[in-house]
Amino acid sequence: MHIKSILRMLSAILMIVSLFMLACSLLAIFEQETLLTTLSLVIPAAIGIGFFLVMSLVSRNDKKPFLTNRDGFLLVTLSWVFASALGAIPFVLARSIPSYIDAFFETMSGFTTTGASILTDIEALPRSLLLWRATTHWLGGMGIVVLLVAVLPALGFSAIRVMEAEAPGPSVDRITPHISSTAKMLWLIYLGITLLEIVLLVIGGMTLFDAVCHAFATMATGGFSTKNTSVAYYKSGFIHWVITIFMFIAGTNFTLHYRLLTGKPRSVLKDTEFRVYFAIFAIASIAIGFDLLTHGTYKSFGESIRYSSFQVSSILTTTGFATADFGTWPTLSLTVLLVLMFIGGCAGSTGGGIKVIRIVVLFKMAMTEMRYVANPRGVYTIFLGSKALRKNVIYDIAALVFLYFVFFFISVLVISFTGVDILTNVTAVIANLGNIGPGLGKVGPVYNYSFFPWWAKVWLSFAMLVGRLEVYTVLVLFSKKFWKSF
Amino acid sequence: MHIKSILRMLSAILMIVSLFMLACSLLAIFEQETLLTTLSLVIPAAIGIGFFLVMSLVSRNDKKPFLTNRDGFLLVTLSWVFASALGAIPFVLARSIPSYIDAFFETMSGFTTTGASILTDIEALPRSLLLWRATTHWLGGMGIVVLLVAVLPALGFSAIRVMEAEAPGPSVDRITPHISSTAKMLWLIYLGITLLEIVLLVIGGMTLFDAVCHAFATMATGGFSTKNTSVAYYKSGFIHWVITIFMFIAGTNFTLHYRLLTGKPRSVLKDTEFRVYFAIFAIASIAIGFDLLTHGTYKSFGESIRYSSFQVSSILTTTGFATADFGTWPTLSLTVLLVLMFIGGCAGSTGGGIKVIRIVVLFKMAMTEMRYVANPRGVYTIFLGSKALRKNVIYDIAALVFLYFVFFFISVLVISFTGVDILTNVTAVIANLGNIGPGLGKVGPVYNYSFFPWWAKVWLSFAMLVGRLEVYTVLVLFSKKFWKSF
């Protein structure tokens, strides 16, 4: 283990987080919020920057930091835990969230783009803290470590390994030959689309502040709103559709956006994962739309489709915004949403969940096995687009998805100790493990997570991290083998 | 496809089913039930036997029937469907169940050892029909096709293939060199343990009739009782414990019983699946026992453990008996039971569900993958006991379990069209697919399935069959490949 290298990289990550915190404090100063609010952002930022300076000083004569595969896992997990630990301090200092565990839950929910909240009155928070809350989403969406890889290529460590531990999906597509320029490109695209959304939301009638916060939460597939009633606060169909579409964009593999921008739109339409992702979105929206119409939840078909496609986009991409209390929707709609919770966005997007590509691969695997049953002497290869998949890759995916379900069932058992009803319990786990945010029952879109005991909040924070870093990165740290062979 | 061979074997299976129906009609005559009741059993039996005689006559000059692998899948699926179709007739003729679809659901539930019922007043049925209802369990438990293989070795077709399509678990252990003597041995052990349970239940105070019916339902892990309140009707702790233990025995691999009887008790204790199965049973019973005690559901620890271990045994083995309305138990208990529903009994037992062995193998697979993450250059082999597992076997299991979950989610979507609440909907699907019987909510232990619309009953019957024949045997018939290559 290269402890010093890990600490050096960790301090750089906390420094980046701190700089964003400082930026939020500027809003506090600009809007003349209380000194307490300003200091609550400045103090933890100073701690983060101070830690970085000390580490730089201590290791000023060292070689470039070197990280092995396993150091990478440790670094990434530690980064997320410490970023949340540091990012939680402003809420406590400003007395917006009295309990530190609650603040940690809220911040972990921010960074992992879960969007589960313990706040009962969001609008009571100072605007600078609301901005910070949205910023945790935006940083976590594309990944803090990816950001570090992008902005600090000078450090030149084995970047791909660390990035793989953080990036959602089975593998990191290198869109450019150098990993740091890939990271930079991804962040630039992310920034560009976010800016575009801000402009559209302002055109739709949002204030600049709300537009920024909602765009951050949309593009990160996070789900924190600045309003107590989430996006339902806005009645404008334009705003609903803008957010629906941008959530969908955020849940798409960013490599596809790169290809689109570099003039290869055809390859996007040929992408298997994208096609399945779009098909799920379309079919689920129409199914729920009809269900809402026939049950008279909304009067016109247009209105039904507007609300259904918003919610489908929100749950499928694991954002968690709501324009309606879908907890009161008819059973078919609820069931479709429940199934979507297990799917999630595309690989290489900011979305959570199991990811569409994994479902596609496992489905092809099961279909192929069925062919073997029908014809044991046949030879079948599984293709993804024009690429043949090796059996080992499929095997890895199956193991990961199984582990995901094992962790899911264990978490359901743990949370059942709280004594809440099964629907709340089960959907709370899937909403946190899948980085969605709201579930059904007592954690439905119009409720929040404040009523859970502290240990349940700790476990759910842990589940968010396990979900965001895709199971292995976190859980491997709990295996004996990992520490023995260091 | 060898249609004539398939029809010949099918008629033999229906003949066996008919003989058992005739046996039940003897009870009707003996107890002087109405002529209608007697005829309702005799008429379908005559149809079954008539069909066999016609087929024998038609093919009297043919060679021995020959079946390929695929013929086997078709035969097994057809056997279960037609056995249920024939076995449903008595209920309709005797006017005990007016709707044929309801009767088909009830009979399929019997043969697949699900135990889900549409009857609102079980005790109103004539005793001969209750015996027939219990007999469908007993026949389906060890398998009608296995029985055929056992009693008709003279037909000498490629028996192992057909048996594999029906037997629960990844593979059929040949305990004797000849498949037909293995089948005979399994049925003898099954018969022996059933007789032992009947004796014990009579000692415990049951009437002979009730003892026979309950022993049939226990050993098949079925769950049909002759009482409206299931086993809760009996207050005797002795009866509860006898059924608890015999459900546990029925959920154990019958190869282990054979080994135990042939004087190799050590090898039973060394069996990985059995150890995990026992550990799940013990831990879940104790956890629920404590939960019931602390919530004051029962007053003493002894009583809590009696009710908890009965219910754990019943759900884990997918029997579905109840000594209490566990739907009203505290959340932790309910959650544990819900998780157990997904596990099921051991391979080679009469239990349903995914099976303990598959969970064990996939768990080892996930753990091994974690080792690879920690140390990518390591070489790890997955052992089951002292046997190294080939990667292909694990791959097959992963595909099957994934397909099981896909079918589960699709069924949940289908049943959600009924508009019942999510808890009812989800647990109804798992209770039928897993061959358990009662679920939670409106299909809890004190309710029944009568309120579902006809198409939901048809789908749930289909789910029972998919669960009993372990997904591929049935679903492969829906693949184009299967029919194309015939």
Side-chain angles (χ1 to χ4, degrees):
Chain A
M1 199 168 24
H2 305 84
I3 296 188
K4 219 169 163 186
S5 292
I6 292 175
L7 283 178
R8 233 173 112 189
M9 301 301 304
L10 180 62
S11 73
I13 285 162
L14 293 181
M15 193 262 299
I16 297 177
V17 171
S18 300
L19 289 179
F20 278 90
M21 237 188 279
L22 268 188
C24 293
S25 75
L26 292 180
L27 182 72
I29 295 166
F30 181 75
E31 302 221 336
Q32 298 183 315
E33 288 176 354
T34 62
L35 185 64
L36 181 69
T37 307
T38 314
L39 284 180
S40 71
L41 282 157
V42 172
I43 291 168
I47 295 173
I49 296 169
F51 177 48
F52 173 69
L53 293 178
V54 169
M55 281 311 299
S56 302
L57 213 71
V58 168
S59 53
R60 67 185 179 283
N61 296 323
D62 291 10
K63 281 177 289 181
K64 283 185 180 182
F66 174 80
L67 292 176
T68 65
N69 218 339
R70 264 170 296 161
D71 294 330
F73 288 111
L74 193 58
L75 169 63
V76 170
T77 307
L78 288 181
S79 303
W80 287 75
V81 172
F82 280 97
S84 300
L86 190 70
I89 298 177
F91 298 111
V92 181
L93 289 185
R95 291 180 199 158
S96 295
I97 304 176
S99 141
Y100 182 74
I101 285 181
D102 280 5
F104 182 80
F105 177 93
E106 193 82 8
T107 316
M108 183 61 96
S109 172
F111 278 119
T112 57
T113 73
T114 303
S117 180
I118 50 84
L119 290 171
T120 43
D121 185 6
I122 297 165
E123 291 162 32
L125 258 65
R127 282 153 67 95
S128 57
L129 282 187
L130 284 178
L131 182 63
W132 169 238
R133 191 163 163 267
T135 305
T136 57
H137 266 348
W138 198 67
L139 285 174
M142 189 47 79
I144 355 176
V145 179
V146 178
L147 184 58
L148 178 74
V149 174
V151 297
L152 294 178
L155 287 169
F157 64 110
S158 171
I160 181 80
R161 287 181 177 161
V162 183
M163 205 164 141
E164 270 183 347
E166 186 186 73
S171 71
V172 176
D173 281 315
R174 298 199 191 199
I175 48 184
T176 63
H178 290 286
I179 184 68
S180 70
S181 37
T182 299
K184 207 177 284 175
M185 190 59 74
L186 288 175
W187 265 94
L188 273 177
I189 297 171
Y190 187 51
L191 180 66
I193 307 180
T194 307
L195 289 175
L196 181 63
E197 193 190 343
I198 293 174
V199 171
L200 289 171
L201 289 178
V202 169
I203 291 173
M206 271 196 194
T207 65
L208 181 62
F209 171 77
D210 287 332
V212 168
C213 289
H214 282 91
F216 278 10
T218 307
M219 286 312 298
T221 68
F224 278 159
S225 171
T226 51
K227 304 294 176 191
N228 285 335
T229 52
S230 188
V231 182
Y233 175 89
Y234 299 97
K235 304 297 166 213
S236 145
F238 180 78
I239 286 179
H240 290 186
W241 278 114
V242 166
I243 294 179
T244 302
I245 292 164
F246 277 84
M247 287 191 292
F248 185 82
I249 292 172
T252 311
N253 192 333
F254 274 66
T255 311
L256 296 188
H257 299 321
Y258 178 77
R259 284 202 223 145
L260 202 65
L261 292 170
T262 51
K264 291 172 201 148
R266 279 229 180 142
S267 75
V268 174
L269 292 178
K270 271 189 197 159
D271 187 80
T272 311
E273 186 182 26
F274 181 76
R275 290 161 80 151
V276 175
Y277 173 62
F278 182 78
I280 295 172
F281 168 70
I283 294 169
S285 299
I286 293 168
I288 294 184
F290 270 105
D291 194 40
L292 294 178
L293 190 66
T294 51
H295 281 81
T297 313
Y298 299 104
K299 269 162 207 140
S300 73
F301 183 71
E303 209 183 4
S304 302
I305 279 290
R306 195 223 295 184
Y307 282 94
S308 73
S309 56
F310 184 94
Q311 216 51 65
V312 166
S313 193
S314 172
I315 298 293
L316 178 62
T317 64
T318 73
T319 306
F321 274 144
T323 47
D325 178 10
F326 58 81
T328 62
W329 283 2
T331 306
L332 175 63
S333 301
L334 277 187
T335 310
V336 172
L337 291 177
L338 190 70
V339 173
L340 294 183
M341 285 187 180
F342 283 94
I343 300 177
C346 297
S349 75
T350 64
I354 290 175
K355 307 280 174 315
V356 175
I357 189 87
R358 292 207 179 90
I359 311 274
V360 171
V361 169
L362 290 186
F363 193 75
K364 291 197 173 198
M365 173 199 195
M367 288 301 125
T368 310
E369 284 301 295
M370 208 182 273
R371 286 179 162 192
Y372 278 114
V373 169
N375 186 6
R377 268 162 300 180
V379 176
Y380 306 102
T381 313
I382 299 178
F383 283 94
L384 205 62
S386 57
K387 225 168 84 186
L389 283 181
R390 279 184 307 120
K391 235 179 169 175
N392 262 0
V393 173
I394 305 167
Y395 190 87
D396 291 354
I397 292 174
L400 187 138
V401 171
F402 183 73
L403 204 59
Y404 190 90
F405 273 101
V406 168
F407 188 81
F408 167 73
F409 281 114
I410 291 175
S411 299
V412 167
L413 285 174
V414 170
I415 301 303
S416 75
F417 277 91
T418 60
V420 294
D421 63 293
I422 284 200
L423 186 66
T424 301
N425 167 4
V426 168
T427 58
V429 170
I430 187 62
N432 282 279
L433 179 59
N435 300 144
I436 299 161
L440 298 171
K442 291 196 189 68
V443 293
V446 296
Y447 305 96
N448 61 67
Y449 285 79
S450 58
F451 68 90
F452 273 115
W454 68 269
W455 52 266
K457 285 171 187 159
V458 171
W459 186 275
L460 289 175
S461 306
F462 177 54
M464 294 176 201
L465 191 61
V466 168
R468 174 61 181 82
L469 299 181
E470 307 215 297
V471 192
Y472 280 121
T473 305
V474 180
L475 292 191
V476 77
L477 303 185
F478 292 88
S479 84
K480 232 192 289 176
K481 197 88 193 164
F482 184 85
W483 298 101
K484 218 165 78 185
S485 41
F486 250 129
Chain B
M1 197 169 24
H2 306 84
I3 297 187
K4 216 168 166 189
S5 293
I6 292 175
L7 284 178
R8 232 173 115 190
M9 300 302 305
L10 181 62
S11 73
I13 286 163
L14 293 180
M15 192 262 297
I16 296 178
V17 171
S18 301
L19 289 180
F20 277 91
M21 237 186 281
L22 269 189
C24 292
S25 74
L26 293 182
L27 183 72
I29 295 166
F30 181 76
E31 301 221 337
Q32 300 184 314
E33 289 175 354
T34 62
L35 184 65
L36 180 70
T37 307
T38 313
L39 285 180
S40 71
L41 282 157
V42 172
I43 291 169
I47 295 173
I49 295 169
F51 178 48
F52 174 71
L53 292 177
V54 169
M55 281 310 300
S56 303
L57 214 72
V58 167
S59 53
R60 67 186 179 285
N61 296 322
D62 291 10
K63 281 177 290 181
K64 282 184 182 183
F66 175 78
L67 292 176
T68 65
N69 217 339
R70 264 171 297 162
D71 295 328
F73 288 112
L74 193 58
L75 169 62
V76 170
T77 307
L78 288 180
S79 303
W80 287 75
V81 172
F82 280 97
S84 300
L86 190 70
I89 298 177
F91 298 111
V92 181
L93 290 186
R95 292 182 198 158
S96 295
I97 304 177
S99 142
Y100 183 73
I101 285 182
D102 280 6
F104 183 80
F105 177 92
E106 193 81 7
T107 316
M108 183 61 96
S109 173
F111 279 120
T112 57
T113 74
T114 303
S117 180
I118 51 83
L119 290 170
T120 42
D121 185 5
I122 297 165
E123 291 162 32
L125 259 65
R127 281 153 67 94
S128 59
L129 282 186
L130 285 178
L131 182 63
W132 168 238
R133 191 163 163 266
T135 304
T136 58
H137 266 346
W138 198 68
L139 285 174
M142 189 47 80
I144 354 177
V145 180
V146 177
L147 184 57
L148 179 74
V149 174
V151 297
L152 295 177
L155 287 168
F157 65 109
S158 171
I160 180 79
R161 287 183 178 159
V162 185
M163 204 163 142
E164 269 181 351
E166 185 185 74
S171 72
V172 176
D173 280 315
R174 298 201 190 197
I175 48 183
T176 63
H178 291 286
I179 186 67
S180 69
S181 37
T182 299
K184 206 177 284 174
M185 190 58 74
L186 288 175
W187 266 95
L188 273 178
I189 296 172
Y190 186 52
L191 179 66
I193 307 180
T194 307
L195 289 175
L196 181 63
E197 193 191 343
I198 294 173
V199 171
L200 288 173
L201 289 178
V202 170
I203 292 173
M206 272 195 192
T207 65
L208 181 62
F209 172 77
D210 288 333
V212 168
C213 290
H214 281 92
F216 277 10
T218 306
M219 286 312 298
T221 68
F224 279 158
S225 172
T226 49
K227 303 295 175 189
N228 286 332
T229 51
S230 187
V231 183
Y233 175 88
Y234 299 96
K235 304 298 167 213
S236 144
F238 180 78
I239 287 180
H240 289 186
W241 277 114
V242 166
I243 295 179
T244 302
I245 291 164
F246 278 83
M247 289 191 292
F248 185 82
I249 291 172
T252 310
N253 192 332
F254 273 66
T255 312
L256 296 188
H257 298 321
Y258 178 77
R259 285 202 223 143
L260 202 64
L261 291 170
T262 51
K264 292 173 200 147
R266 278 230 179 141
S267 75
V268 175
L269 293 176
K270 271 189 196 160
D271 187 80
T272 311
E273 186 182 25
F274 180 76
R275 288 161 80 151
V276 175
Y277 173 62
F278 182 78
I280 294 172
F281 168 70
I283 294 168
S285 299
I286 293 169
I288 294 183
F290 270 106
D291 193 40
L292 294 177
L293 191 66
T294 52
H295 281 80
T297 314
Y298 298 104
K299 269 162 206 141
S300 73
F301 183 70
E303 211 183 2
S304 303
I305 279 290
R306 195 222 297 183
Y307 283 94
S308 72
S309 56
F310 183 94
Q311 216 51 65
V312 167
S313 193
S314 171
I315 298 293
L316 178 63
T317 63
T318 73
T319 305
F321 274 144
T323 47
D325 178 10
F326 58 81
T328 61
W329 282 3
T331 306
L332 175 63
S333 301
L334 278 187
T335 310
V336 172
L337 291 177
L338 190 69
V339 173
L340 294 183
M341 285 186 181
F342 283 93
I343 300 177
C346 297
S349 76
T350 63
I354 291 175
K355 306 282 175 314
V356 174
I357 189 88
R358 293 207 178 90
I359 309 274
V360 171
V361 169
L362 291 185
F363 194 76
K364 290 196 174 198
M365 172 199 196
M367 288 300 125
T368 310
E369 285 301 294
M370 208 183 273
R371 285 178 163 192
Y372 277 113
V373 169
N375 186 5
R377 269 163 299 180
V379 176
Y380 307 103
T381 312
I382 298 179
F383 283 94
L384 205 63
S386 57
K387 225 168 84 187
L389 284 180
R390 278 183 309 119
K391 237 178 167 174
N392 262 0
V393 173
I394 305 168
Y395 189 87
D396 292 353
I397 292 175
L400 187 137
V401 171
F402 183 74
L403 204 60
Y404 191 90
F405 273 101
V406 168
F407 187 82
F408 167 73
F409 280 115
I410 290 174
S411 300
V412 167
L413 285 173
V414 171
I415 301 302
S416 75
F417 277 92
T418 60
V420 293
D421 64 292
I422 285 199
L423 186 67
T424 301
N425 167 4
V426 168
T427 57
V429 170
I430 188 62
N432 282 280
L433 178 60
N435 300 142
I436 299 162
L440 298 171
K442 292 195 189 68
V443 293
V446 296
Y447 306 96
N448 61 66
Y449 286 79
S450 58
F451 68 91
F452 273 115
W454 68 269
W455 52 267
K457 284 172 187 159
V458 171
W459 186 276
L460 289 175
S461 306
F462 177 53
M464 292 176 202
L465 191 61
V466 168
R468 175 59 180 83
L469 299 181
E470 308 216 296
V471 193
Y472 281 120
T473 304
V474 180
L475 292 191
V476 79
L477 303 185
F478 292 87
S479 85
K480 232 191 291 176
K481 196 87 194 165
F482 184 85
W483 298 101
K484 218 167 76 185
S485 42
F486 250 127

